[in-house]
Amino acid sequence: MKGDGKLTSKPVRSALNWRGSEEMSHAIESTETKTARPTPKKNARAFARFLSGTAFTTLLLASGAALYCGMPQQASALDLYWNAPGTSGAVIGDGSPIVALDGTWSVGGNLNWTNAGNTQAGVTWSNAPGTNAYFIGTAADHPVIDVVGDINFDTIYLGAPNGNGGNSNFYVIQGTGAFHMAPATGNHATIVGMVQNSQSIAVPIHNSQDGSVTDLYIESNDGTQGGGLITFVTNMEYTGNTHIKSGALSLGGLDASGYTAPYYDASVNGDIIVSDAGALVLYSATQDQTVSNRIYTETTSDTNARLDIRNGGSTHKLILTSSNPDYVGNTNISGILSGTGSLGGAVELIYSGSLYNRQGSTLTLGTSVTFTRNPTGGITADLEEATAGQPLFVTSGALDVSLATLTANVQGSASVYNIFQYGGALNQVPGTIFKTTTFSGIAPGTNYRLDVVEPGHGAFQTPGMIRLLVYDNNDEIAQYWNGGAPAPYDGGLVG
Protein backbone atom coordinates (compact mmCIF):
# COMPACT_ATOMS: atom_id res chain seq x y z
CA MET A 1 0.00 0.00 0.00
CA LYS A 2 1.39 3.25 -0.98
CA GLY A 3 1.06 5.96 -3.52
CA ASP A 4 2.06 3.58 -6.30
CA GLY A 5 -0.50 0.96 -5.35
CA LYS A 6 1.56 -1.25 -3.09
CA LEU A 7 0.44 -1.87 0.41
CA THR A 8 1.93 0.71 2.62
CA SER A 9 1.43 1.72 6.04
CA LYS A 10 1.87 4.90 7.84
CA PRO A 11 2.61 6.44 11.02
CA VAL A 12 1.18 6.49 14.32
CA ARG A 13 3.18 4.42 16.69
CA SER A 14 5.39 1.65 15.69
CA ALA A 15 3.44 -0.31 18.23
CA LEU A 16 -0.05 -1.44 18.93
CA ASN A 17 -2.10 -0.53 21.93
CA TRP A 18 -5.48 -2.17 21.65
CA ARG A 19 -7.11 -0.42 24.58
CA GLY A 20 -5.61 3.00 24.89
CA SER A 21 -4.87 5.89 22.58
CA GLU A 22 -2.47 4.90 19.85
CA GLU A 23 -0.21 7.74 20.92
CA MET A 24 0.09 6.45 24.48
CA SER A 25 2.02 3.21 24.18
CA HIS A 26 4.46 1.22 22.10
CA ALA A 27 3.17 -2.03 23.54
CA ILE A 28 0.71 -4.56 22.20
CA GLU A 29 -1.66 -5.43 24.98
CA SER A 30 -2.73 -8.99 25.51
CA THR A 31 -5.13 -10.55 27.96
CA GLU A 32 -3.14 -13.74 27.98
CA THR A 33 -0.51 -14.51 30.58
CA LYS A 34 2.99 -14.72 29.17
CA THR A 35 6.01 -16.41 30.67
CA ALA A 36 9.45 -15.17 29.74
CA ARG A 37 11.58 -17.88 28.20
CA PRO A 38 15.32 -17.84 28.70
CA THR A 39 15.75 -19.53 25.35
CA PRO A 40 13.40 -18.60 22.50
CA LYS A 41 10.92 -21.12 21.28
CA LYS A 42 9.58 -20.83 17.76
CA ASN A 43 5.85 -21.33 17.25
CA ALA A 44 4.54 -24.00 14.93
CA ARG A 45 3.98 -22.70 11.42
CA ALA A 46 1.75 -24.11 8.73
CA PHE A 47 3.78 -25.73 5.94
CA ALA A 48 2.01 -24.17 3.00
CA ARG A 49 0.76 -20.78 2.00
CA PHE A 50 -2.79 -21.08 3.25
CA LEU A 51 -4.41 -24.02 5.04
CA SER A 52 -2.10 -26.83 4.06
CA GLY A 53 -0.85 -29.66 6.13
CA THR A 54 0.44 -29.73 9.65
CA ALA A 55 3.64 -31.68 9.18
CA PHE A 56 5.91 -30.35 11.86
CA THR A 57 9.17 -31.55 13.17
CA THR A 58 11.16 -30.63 16.19
CA LEU A 59 14.82 -30.25 16.53
CA LEU A 60 17.03 -29.45 19.41
CA LEU A 61 18.52 -25.97 19.33
CA ALA A 62 22.26 -25.80 19.09
CA SER A 63 22.26 -24.45 22.63
CA GLY A 64 20.49 -27.53 23.90
CA ALA A 65 18.31 -25.28 26.03
CA ALA A 66 14.98 -25.43 24.20
CA LEU A 67 13.06 -27.14 21.46
CA TYR A 68 12.40 -25.37 18.18
CA CYS A 69 9.01 -26.14 16.66
CA GLY A 70 8.44 -25.16 13.08
CA MET A 71 8.98 -26.07 9.46
CA PRO A 72 11.09 -29.13 8.80
CA GLN A 73 14.69 -28.02 9.12
CA GLN A 74 17.82 -29.62 7.81
CA ALA A 75 20.27 -30.94 10.34
CA SER A 76 22.70 -28.29 9.15
CA ALA A 77 20.49 -25.45 10.42
CA LEU A 78 22.63 -23.01 12.35
CA ASP A 79 21.59 -20.80 15.29
CA LEU A 80 23.70 -17.70 15.83
CA TYR A 81 23.28 -15.25 18.72
CA TRP A 82 24.10 -11.60 18.29
CA ASN A 83 26.54 -10.45 20.97
CA ALA A 84 28.21 -7.29 19.73
CA PRO A 85 29.70 -5.76 22.89
CA GLY A 86 29.21 -2.13 21.86
CA THR A 87 30.97 -0.04 24.51
CA SER A 88 30.19 -2.45 27.36
CA GLY A 89 33.59 -4.11 27.45
CA ALA A 90 31.93 -7.56 27.36
CA VAL A 91 33.89 -10.41 25.80
CA ILE A 92 32.36 -12.68 23.18
CA GLY A 93 32.81 -16.34 24.04
CA ASP A 94 33.66 -16.06 27.77
CA GLY A 95 30.38 -17.53 29.00
CA SER A 96 29.08 -14.27 30.46
CA PRO A 97 25.49 -13.15 29.77
CA ILE A 98 24.85 -11.99 26.24
CA VAL A 99 24.72 -8.19 25.93
CA ALA A 100 23.85 -7.89 22.21
CA LEU A 101 24.52 -4.18 21.74
CA ASP A 102 25.27 -1.93 18.74
CA GLY A 103 27.29 -3.38 15.90
CA THR A 104 27.61 -4.24 12.22
CA TRP A 105 25.91 -7.28 10.67
CA SER A 106 27.84 -8.39 7.62
CA VAL A 107 29.33 -11.47 5.99
CA GLY A 108 32.98 -11.54 6.97
CA GLY A 109 34.98 -9.05 8.98
CA ASN A 110 32.66 -8.61 11.98
CA LEU A 111 32.82 -11.37 14.61
CA ASN A 112 29.68 -10.40 16.49
CA TRP A 113 28.00 -13.82 16.73
CA THR A 114 28.24 -16.64 19.26
CA ASN A 115 26.18 -19.55 20.59
CA ALA A 116 23.32 -19.45 23.14
CA GLY A 117 25.64 -19.72 26.13
CA ASN A 118 28.22 -17.28 24.78
CA THR A 119 30.86 -19.97 25.04
CA GLN A 120 31.87 -19.82 21.39
CA ALA A 121 34.45 -17.27 20.31
CA GLY A 122 33.05 -14.60 18.02
CA VAL A 123 32.22 -15.74 14.51
CA THR A 124 31.05 -13.98 11.39
CA TRP A 125 27.57 -14.43 9.96
CA SER A 126 27.04 -17.60 7.94
CA ASN A 127 25.13 -16.92 4.75
CA ALA A 128 24.22 -20.59 4.34
CA PRO A 129 20.52 -21.51 4.03
CA GLY A 130 18.95 -22.35 7.37
CA THR A 131 20.87 -19.79 9.44
CA ASN A 132 18.81 -18.30 12.27
CA ALA A 133 19.60 -14.98 13.99
CA TYR A 134 18.79 -14.42 17.67
CA PHE A 135 18.77 -10.95 19.22
CA ILE A 136 18.22 -11.50 22.94
CA GLY A 137 20.09 -8.78 24.73
CA THR A 138 19.59 -7.54 28.26
CA ALA A 139 16.36 -5.78 29.14
CA ALA A 140 16.10 -2.01 28.63
CA ASP A 141 18.75 -1.89 25.92
CA HIS A 142 17.88 -0.41 22.51
CA PRO A 143 20.65 -1.60 20.19
CA VAL A 144 21.07 -0.37 16.62
CA ILE A 145 22.17 -3.07 14.17
CA ASP A 146 23.85 -1.80 11.00
CA VAL A 147 23.35 -4.23 8.08
CA VAL A 148 26.01 -4.14 5.36
CA GLY A 149 25.92 -6.24 2.20
CA ASP A 150 23.56 -9.09 1.27
CA ILE A 151 22.44 -11.14 4.25
CA ASN A 152 20.70 -14.52 3.86
CA PHE A 153 18.45 -15.67 6.72
CA ASP A 154 16.00 -18.38 7.67
CA THR A 155 14.47 -16.90 10.85
CA ILE A 156 15.19 -13.71 12.77
CA TYR A 157 14.22 -13.60 16.47
CA LEU A 158 13.95 -10.10 17.90
CA GLY A 159 13.78 -8.78 21.42
CA ALA A 160 13.84 -11.60 23.96
CA PRO A 161 15.38 -10.41 27.25
CA ASN A 162 18.36 -12.22 28.70
CA GLY A 163 17.45 -12.06 32.35
CA ASN A 164 14.89 -9.94 34.16
CA GLY A 165 12.54 -7.59 32.36
CA GLY A 166 10.73 -8.54 29.23
CA ASN A 167 9.05 -5.63 27.52
CA SER A 168 11.53 -2.78 27.64
CA ASN A 169 14.15 -3.78 25.08
CA PHE A 170 13.87 -3.45 21.34
CA TYR A 171 16.07 -3.44 18.29
CA VAL A 172 16.52 -1.08 15.35
CA ILE A 173 17.81 -2.89 12.26
CA GLN A 174 19.01 -0.44 9.64
CA GLY A 175 21.82 0.09 7.17
CA THR A 176 22.70 0.01 3.49
CA GLY A 177 22.47 -3.75 3.09
CA ALA A 178 19.65 -6.09 2.07
CA PHE A 179 18.07 -9.25 3.47
CA HIS A 180 17.39 -12.34 1.35
CA MET A 181 15.17 -15.22 2.39
CA ALA A 182 17.12 -18.48 2.76
CA PRO A 183 15.22 -21.11 4.77
CA ALA A 184 16.68 -24.57 5.24
CA THR A 185 13.59 -25.95 3.49
CA GLY A 186 10.22 -24.65 2.40
CA ASN A 187 9.07 -21.51 0.63
CA HIS A 188 9.15 -18.88 3.35
CA ALA A 189 11.40 -17.12 5.82
CA THR A 190 10.22 -15.97 9.26
CA ILE A 191 10.55 -13.03 11.65
CA VAL A 192 9.59 -13.63 15.28
CA GLY A 193 8.76 -10.83 17.73
CA MET A 194 9.64 -11.90 21.25
CA VAL A 195 8.41 -9.02 23.44
CA GLN A 196 5.48 -6.63 23.30
CA ASN A 197 7.55 -3.63 22.26
CA SER A 198 8.16 -2.84 18.63
CA GLN A 199 11.18 -4.20 16.78
CA SER A 200 11.81 -2.09 13.69
CA ILE A 201 13.35 -3.13 10.37
CA ALA A 202 14.56 -0.45 7.97
CA VAL A 203 16.38 -2.86 5.63
CA PRO A 204 14.53 -4.23 2.57
CA ILE A 205 13.75 -7.94 2.50
CA HIS A 206 14.07 -9.64 -0.90
CA ASN A 207 13.19 -13.04 -2.31
CA SER A 208 15.88 -15.69 -1.99
CA GLN A 209 18.82 -14.96 -4.24
CA ASP A 210 17.76 -17.75 -6.61
CA GLY A 211 14.18 -16.42 -6.63
CA SER A 212 12.62 -19.60 -5.26
CA VAL A 213 11.51 -18.32 -1.83
CA THR A 214 9.05 -15.45 -1.86
CA ASP A 215 6.79 -15.55 1.24
CA LEU A 216 7.38 -14.11 4.71
CA TYR A 217 5.86 -15.30 8.00
CA ILE A 218 5.42 -13.03 11.02
CA GLU A 219 5.09 -14.70 14.43
CA SER A 220 5.16 -13.88 18.11
CA ASN A 221 7.24 -16.01 20.42
CA ASP A 222 4.29 -16.98 22.64
CA GLY A 223 1.79 -17.39 19.81
CA THR A 224 -0.49 -14.56 20.96
CA GLN A 225 -1.60 -11.42 19.17
CA GLY A 226 -0.03 -9.23 21.85
CA GLY A 227 3.19 -11.19 22.15
CA GLY A 228 5.34 -9.38 19.59
CA LEU A 229 5.27 -6.46 17.18
CA ILE A 230 7.42 -6.13 14.07
CA THR A 231 7.47 -2.71 12.39
CA PHE A 232 8.64 -2.23 8.81
CA VAL A 233 9.84 1.31 8.18
CA THR A 234 10.93 0.83 4.58
CA ASN A 235 9.47 -0.72 1.44
CA MET A 236 9.90 -4.48 1.23
CA GLU A 237 10.93 -6.07 -2.06
CA TYR A 238 9.88 -9.71 -1.75
CA THR A 239 7.15 -10.54 -4.24
CA GLY A 240 5.20 -13.21 -2.38
CA ASN A 241 2.61 -13.07 0.35
CA THR A 242 2.90 -11.95 3.97
CA HIS A 243 1.42 -14.34 6.55
CA ILE A 244 0.81 -12.92 10.03
CA LYS A 245 0.57 -16.18 11.97
CA SER A 246 0.64 -14.54 15.41
CA GLY A 247 1.74 -11.24 16.89
CA ALA A 248 1.50 -8.08 14.82
CA LEU A 249 3.04 -6.47 11.75
CA SER A 250 2.99 -2.71 11.38
CA LEU A 251 3.58 -1.28 7.92
CA GLY A 252 5.01 2.11 8.72
CA GLY A 253 5.10 4.03 11.96
CA LEU A 254 7.93 5.04 14.22
CA ASP A 255 11.15 3.13 14.28
CA ALA A 256 12.01 1.63 17.63
CA SER A 257 14.69 4.20 18.44
CA GLY A 258 12.30 6.65 20.03
CA TYR A 259 8.75 7.57 20.83
CA THR A 260 8.47 10.77 18.81
CA ALA A 261 8.15 11.71 15.14
CA PRO A 262 9.12 11.42 12.37
CA TYR A 263 7.03 8.59 11.12
CA TYR A 264 8.02 6.35 8.22
CA ASP A 265 6.21 4.74 5.33
CA ALA A 266 6.44 1.08 4.36
CA SER A 267 4.98 -1.32 1.84
CA VAL A 268 4.80 -4.98 0.91
CA ASN A 269 3.86 -6.75 -2.29
CA GLY A 270 1.38 -9.58 -2.56
CA ASP A 271 -1.51 -10.66 -0.36
CA ILE A 272 -1.58 -10.23 3.41
CA ILE A 273 -3.06 -13.18 5.31
CA VAL A 274 -3.95 -12.60 8.97
CA SER A 275 -4.51 -15.51 11.36
CA ASP A 276 -6.75 -15.50 14.40
CA ALA A 277 -3.82 -14.56 16.67
CA GLY A 278 -2.44 -12.01 14.19
CA ALA A 279 -2.79 -8.27 13.69
CA LEU A 280 -1.96 -5.84 10.89
CA VAL A 281 -1.43 -2.09 11.25
CA LEU A 282 -1.54 0.27 8.27
CA TYR A 283 -0.43 3.89 8.33
CA SER A 284 -0.98 7.00 6.22
CA ALA A 285 1.00 9.66 8.03
CA THR A 286 3.18 11.45 5.51
CA GLN A 287 0.93 11.26 2.47
CA ASP A 288 -2.28 9.61 1.27
CA GLN A 289 -1.67 5.88 0.91
CA THR A 290 -3.42 3.55 -1.53
CA VAL A 291 -3.90 -0.08 -0.49
CA SER A 292 -4.45 -2.43 -3.41
CA ASN A 293 -3.19 -5.60 -1.69
CA ARG A 294 -5.72 -8.29 -0.91
CA ILE A 295 -6.16 -8.71 2.86
CA TYR A 296 -7.89 -11.79 4.20
CA THR A 297 -7.99 -14.09 7.19
CA GLU A 298 -6.45 -17.52 7.07
CA THR A 299 -9.78 -19.22 7.78
CA THR A 300 -13.41 -18.12 7.98
CA SER A 301 -13.33 -18.66 11.75
CA ASP A 302 -10.44 -16.23 12.41
CA THR A 303 -12.74 -13.56 13.81
CA ASN A 304 -10.18 -12.42 16.39
CA ALA A 305 -7.80 -11.21 13.67
CA ARG A 306 -7.08 -7.51 13.92
CA LEU A 307 -6.63 -4.63 11.45
CA ASP A 308 -5.75 -1.12 12.65
CA ILE A 309 -5.83 1.90 10.34
CA ARG A 310 -3.85 4.88 11.64
CA ASN A 311 -2.38 8.13 10.39
CA GLY A 312 -0.14 9.38 13.19
CA GLY A 313 -2.33 12.38 13.86
CA SER A 314 -2.01 13.67 10.29
CA THR A 315 -4.82 14.47 7.85
CA HIS A 316 -3.66 11.90 5.29
CA LYS A 317 -6.05 9.21 4.12
CA LEU A 318 -5.67 5.50 3.65
CA ILE A 319 -7.42 4.76 0.34
CA LEU A 320 -8.61 1.17 0.12
CA THR A 321 -9.12 -0.08 -3.45
CA SER A 322 -8.98 -3.86 -2.95
CA SER A 323 -12.01 -6.04 -2.32
CA ASN A 324 -11.54 -8.01 0.91
CA PRO A 325 -14.78 -9.79 1.85
CA ASP A 326 -12.74 -12.77 3.10
CA TYR A 327 -11.26 -10.71 5.90
CA VAL A 328 -13.56 -11.63 8.81
CA GLY A 329 -11.63 -10.09 11.70
CA ASN A 330 -12.12 -6.79 13.50
CA THR A 331 -11.08 -3.39 12.12
CA ASN A 332 -10.25 -0.34 14.25
CA ILE A 333 -9.95 3.00 12.49
CA SER A 334 -8.22 5.87 14.26
CA GLY A 335 -6.98 7.43 11.01
CA ILE A 336 -9.00 8.35 7.91
CA LEU A 337 -10.31 5.59 5.64
CA SER A 338 -11.56 6.22 2.11
CA GLY A 339 -11.82 4.42 -1.22
CA THR A 340 -13.82 1.98 -3.31
CA GLY A 341 -12.73 -1.27 -1.67
CA SER A 342 -14.29 -3.49 0.96
CA LEU A 343 -13.64 -5.21 4.27
CA GLY A 344 -15.50 -7.98 6.03
CA GLY A 345 -15.98 -8.19 9.80
CA ALA A 346 -16.97 -5.57 12.34
CA VAL A 347 -15.63 -2.01 11.96
CA GLU A 348 -15.12 0.46 14.82
CA LEU A 349 -14.08 4.08 14.46
CA ILE A 350 -12.26 5.14 17.60
CA TYR A 351 -10.81 8.41 18.88
CA SER A 352 -10.29 10.62 15.80
CA GLY A 353 -11.14 7.87 13.36
CA SER A 354 -13.05 9.13 10.31
CA LEU A 355 -14.51 8.08 6.98
CA TYR A 356 -14.22 10.17 3.83
CA ASN A 357 -15.56 9.69 0.32
CA ARG A 358 -16.61 11.62 -2.76
CA GLN A 359 -19.94 10.67 -4.29
CA GLY A 360 -19.36 8.20 -7.07
CA SER A 361 -17.13 6.09 -4.81
CA THR A 362 -18.56 3.49 -2.43
CA LEU A 363 -16.61 2.00 0.48
CA THR A 364 -18.08 -1.27 1.80
CA LEU A 365 -17.52 -1.88 5.50
CA GLY A 366 -18.23 -5.32 6.84
CA THR A 367 -20.98 -6.58 9.09
CA SER A 368 -21.38 -3.46 11.27
CA VAL A 369 -20.01 0.05 11.73
CA THR A 370 -19.80 1.79 15.11
CA PHE A 371 -18.34 5.11 16.23
CA THR A 372 -17.08 4.52 19.75
CA ARG A 373 -14.31 5.05 22.36
CA ASN A 374 -14.56 8.79 22.98
CA PRO A 375 -14.77 9.57 19.28
CA THR A 376 -13.89 12.97 17.90
CA GLY A 377 -14.13 11.82 14.29
CA GLY A 378 -17.00 11.17 11.98
CA ILE A 379 -17.93 11.26 8.32
CA THR A 380 -16.71 13.80 5.79
CA ALA A 381 -18.31 13.73 2.36
CA ASP A 382 -18.29 15.53 -0.96
CA LEU A 383 -21.83 15.11 -2.30
CA GLU A 384 -22.19 15.41 -6.07
CA GLU A 385 -25.31 15.75 -8.17
CA ALA A 386 -24.27 13.41 -11.00
CA THR A 387 -23.92 10.40 -8.71
CA ALA A 388 -26.22 11.49 -5.89
CA GLY A 389 -28.04 8.15 -5.85
CA GLN A 390 -24.87 6.15 -5.12
CA PRO A 391 -24.15 5.79 -1.38
CA LEU A 392 -20.70 6.74 -0.15
CA PHE A 393 -20.59 3.97 2.46
CA VAL A 394 -22.28 0.59 2.87
CA THR A 395 -22.48 -1.91 5.71
CA SER A 396 -24.51 -5.08 5.64
CA GLY A 397 -25.41 -4.86 9.32
CA ALA A 398 -25.99 -2.44 12.16
CA LEU A 399 -24.87 1.20 12.04
CA ASP A 400 -24.21 3.38 15.10
CA VAL A 401 -23.65 7.08 14.33
CA SER A 402 -24.90 8.45 17.64
CA LEU A 403 -21.38 9.65 18.56
CA ALA A 404 -20.30 10.66 15.06
CA THR A 405 -20.19 13.99 13.28
CA LEU A 406 -21.20 14.61 9.67
CA THR A 407 -19.51 17.25 7.52
CA ALA A 408 -20.65 17.48 3.92
CA ASN A 409 -19.94 19.76 0.98
CA VAL A 410 -22.94 19.71 -1.36
CA GLN A 411 -22.28 20.20 -5.07
CA GLY A 412 -25.03 20.55 -7.65
CA SER A 413 -28.77 20.71 -7.18
CA ALA A 414 -29.96 17.14 -6.65
CA SER A 415 -32.97 16.60 -4.42
CA VAL A 416 -31.66 13.45 -2.74
CA TYR A 417 -28.04 12.57 -1.85
CA ASN A 418 -27.53 9.05 -0.48
CA ILE A 419 -24.85 8.94 2.20
CA PHE A 420 -24.79 5.69 4.20
CA GLN A 421 -26.56 2.43 3.35
CA TYR A 422 -27.03 -0.13 6.14
CA GLY A 423 -28.76 -3.46 6.63
CA GLY A 424 -29.43 -3.77 10.37
CA ALA A 425 -30.45 -1.56 13.27
CA LEU A 426 -29.60 2.15 13.29
CA ASN A 427 -28.49 3.86 16.49
CA GLN A 428 -28.83 7.61 15.99
CA VAL A 429 -29.40 10.89 17.77
CA PRO A 430 -33.15 11.54 17.67
CA GLY A 431 -34.00 14.46 15.43
CA THR A 432 -30.47 15.08 14.12
CA ILE A 433 -29.23 11.52 13.46
CA PHE A 434 -25.57 12.54 14.00
CA LYS A 435 -24.02 14.19 17.04
CA THR A 436 -23.36 17.29 14.97
CA THR A 437 -23.90 18.16 11.31
CA THR A 438 -22.22 20.77 9.11
CA PHE A 439 -23.23 21.42 5.50
CA SER A 440 -21.68 23.75 2.95
CA GLY A 441 -22.52 24.45 -0.68
CA ILE A 442 -26.28 24.69 -0.20
CA ALA A 443 -27.69 27.96 -1.50
CA PRO A 444 -28.65 30.40 1.25
CA GLY A 445 -32.33 30.22 2.10
CA THR A 446 -32.69 26.64 0.84
CA ASN A 447 -34.31 24.19 3.22
CA TYR A 448 -32.84 20.73 3.64
CA ARG A 449 -32.96 17.88 6.10
CA LEU A 450 -31.30 14.59 6.91
CA ASP A 451 -33.59 11.66 6.34
CA VAL A 452 -33.61 7.99 7.33
CA VAL A 453 -35.19 5.27 5.25
CA GLU A 454 -35.44 2.19 7.44
CA PRO A 455 -34.61 -1.25 6.04
CA GLY A 456 -37.54 -3.00 4.43
CA HIS A 457 -39.12 -6.07 5.97
CA GLY A 458 -41.17 -8.92 4.62
CA ALA A 459 -41.78 -8.31 0.95
CA PHE A 460 -39.59 -5.20 1.07
CA GLN A 461 -36.04 -6.51 1.63
CA THR A 462 -34.52 -3.14 0.90
CA PRO A 463 -31.53 -1.70 2.80
CA GLY A 464 -31.76 1.30 5.06
CA MET A 465 -30.33 4.65 4.00
CA ILE A 466 -29.20 7.89 5.60
CA ARG A 467 -29.66 10.62 3.01
CA LEU A 468 -29.76 14.35 2.56
CA LEU A 469 -32.94 15.88 1.12
CA VAL A 470 -32.67 19.34 -0.45
CA TYR A 471 -35.91 21.24 -1.10
CA ASP A 472 -36.62 23.31 -4.16
CA ASN A 473 -37.86 26.90 -4.20
CA ASN A 474 -41.39 25.66 -3.43
CA ASP A 475 -40.10 23.70 -0.41
CA GLU A 476 -40.84 20.45 -2.19
CA ILE A 477 -38.85 17.32 -2.88
CA ALA A 478 -39.18 15.58 -6.20
CA GLN A 479 -41.24 12.45 -5.52
CA TYR A 480 -41.03 9.15 -7.40
CA TRP A 481 -43.42 6.23 -7.20
CA ASN A 482 -41.90 3.44 -5.11
CA GLY A 483 -44.64 0.82 -5.07
CA GLY A 484 -45.52 0.74 -1.39
CA ALA A 485 -42.16 0.75 0.31
CA PRO A 486 -42.00 1.95 3.93
CA ALA A 487 -42.22 5.69 4.35
CA PRO A 488 -39.01 7.49 5.28
CA TYR A 489 -38.41 8.74 8.78
CA ASP A 490 -39.06 12.48 8.92
CA GLY A 491 -36.04 14.03 10.56
CA GLY A 492 -37.55 17.51 10.25
CA LEU A 493 -36.16 20.52 8.46
CA VAL A 494 -32.63 21.44 9.43
CA GLY A 495 -32.09 24.24 6.93
Side-chain angles (χ1 to χ4, degrees):
M1 128 195 164
K2 71 176 187 180
D4 63 4
K6 284 182 181 177
L7 172 42
T8 234
S9 75
K10 284 324 24 250
V12 176
R13 295 238 137 207
S14 50
L16 299 176
N17 174 20
W18 296 145
R19 301 180 200 147
S21 165
E22 62 186 344
E23 298 299 332
M24 296 298 292
S25 172
H26 254 29
I28 303 174
E29 298 182 2
S30 173
T31 58
E32 302 186 40
T33 302
K34 305 179 197 52
T35 303
R37 302 175 182 177
T39 304
K41 179 180 178 183
K42 185 171 181 179
N43 299 310
R45 308 193 294 257
F47 176 65
R49 170 187 162 201
F50 201 49
L51 277 179
S52 34
T54 56
F56 298 108
T57 60
T58 60
L59 91 97
L60 194 63
L61 285 173
S63 65
L67 286 176
Y68 170 100
C69 295
M71 296 299 303
Q73 300 289 310
Q74 297 176 348
S76 60
L78 176 64
D79 297 325
L80 294 178
Y81 289 73
W82 178 260
N83 197 21
T87 58
S88 68
V91 177
I92 299 178
D94 67 354
S96 60
I98 289 176
V99 293
L101 296 174
D102 299 352
T104 299
W105 184 355
S106 64
V107 178
N110 293 284
L111 307 180
N112 291 325
W113 300 90
T114 185
N115 59 9
N118 190 29
T119 59
Q120 180 181 15
V123 297
T124 189
W125 177 253
S126 167
N127 245 13
T131 306
N132 305 314
Y134 288 84
F135 293 85
I136 55 170
T138 51
D141 287 328
H142 308 152
V144 175
I145 314 303
D146 188 32
V147 176
V148 176
D150 293 307
I151 301 295
N152 294 334
F153 76 96
D154 181 323
T155 301
I156 299 174
Y157 297 85
L158 287 169
N162 181 15
N164 295 327
N167 298 324
S168 59
N169 62 322
F170 46 74
Y171 288 85
V172 179
I173 297 182
Q174 60 184 30
T176 60
F179 287 123
H180 295 269
M181 302 181 189
T185 62
N187 72 334
H188 69 269
T190 305
I191 300 175
V192 180
M194 307 191 73
V195 293
Q196 293 177 356
N197 274 9
S198 174
Q199 315 293 327
S200 71
I201 298 178
V203 175
I205 301 172
H206 297 254
N207 298 340
S208 59
Q209 296 202 46
D210 65 2
S212 63
V213 181
T214 62
D215 284 15
L216 180 69
Y217 279 28
I218 300 294
E219 299 179 0
S220 65
N221 189 52
D222 63 4
T224 68
Q225 193 176 82
L229 171 61
I230 304 300
T231 299
F232 291 165
V233 291
T234 192
N235 297 333
M236 295 300 160
E237 299 297 332
Y238 60 92
T239 59
N241 298 327
T242 303
H243 303 250
I244 307 174
K245 308 297 287 185
S246 59
L249 172 64
S250 182
L251 294 181
L254 299 169
D255 70 20
S257 62
Y259 294 113
T260 59
Y263 293 101
Y264 295 85
D265 301 338
S267 66
V268 297
N269 303 290
D271 297 350
I272 302 176
I273 302 99
V274 188
S275 299
D276 200 56
L280 171 66
V281 186
L282 305 177
Y283 282 95
S284 59
T286 64
Q287 62 181 354
D288 289 353
Q289 297 293 322
T290 297
V291 178
S292 59
N293 309 64
R294 288 185 60 219
I295 302 170
Y296 50 94
T297 44
E298 188 168 4
T299 74
T300 57
S301 61
D302 289 339
T303 55
N304 292 316
R306 188 64 175 265
L307 170 62
D308 267 26
I309 294 172
R310 302 177 173 183
N311 65 1
S314 74
T315 59
H316 299 296
K317 300 181 289 294
L318 190 143
I319 303 168
L320 182 67
T321 61
S322 56
S323 177
N324 305 295
D326 295 328
Y327 173 80
V328 299
N330 300 303
T331 298
N332 275 1
I333 302 170
S334 57
I336 304 172
L337 180 63
S338 181
T340 57
S342 66
L343 289 169
V347 176
E348 286 192 2
L349 290 102
I350 61 176
Y351 311 123
S352 59
S354 300
L355 300 175
Y356 167 81
N357 247 356
R358 178 179 296 275
Q359 207 127 41
S361 297
T362 299
L363 182 64
T364 302
L365 298 171
T367 55
S368 65
V369 175
T370 304
F371 289 81
T372 184
R373 299 201 209 177
N374 302 314
T376 59
I379 295 172
T380 302
D382 285 314
L383 305 180
E384 298 189 353
E385 179 179 2
T387 50
Q390 180 177 343
L392 287 80
F393 309 100
V394 172
T395 183
S396 62
L399 174 61
D400 187 343
V401 294
S402 61
L403 297 177
T405 62
L406 173 64
T407 303
N409 178 37
V410 182
Q411 302 172 29
S413 56
S415 299
V416 179
Y417 296 88
N418 288 330
I419 299 173
F420 213 127
Q421 177 181 305
Y422 63 98
L426 175 65
N427 189 21
Q428 59 176 306
V429 177
T432 62
I433 304 176
F434 294 89
K435 182 172 63 176
T436 62
T437 57
T438 303
F439 292 96
S440 60
I442 299 176
T446 301
N447 287 322
Y448 58 93
R449 66 181 170 89
L450 281 175
D451 173 78
V452 172
V453 178
E454 296 181 348
H457 302 285
F460 303 106
Q461 297 295 317
T462 55
M465 186 73 70
I466 297 176
R467 59 187 189 173
L468 173 67
L469 305 182
V470 181
Y471 291 80
D472 61 20
N473 291 333
N474 297 318
D475 276 342
E476 295 178 343
I477 295 289
Q479 300 293 318
Y480 298 91
W481 177 250
N482 195 21
Y489 163 77
D490 183 358
L493 293 179
V494 296

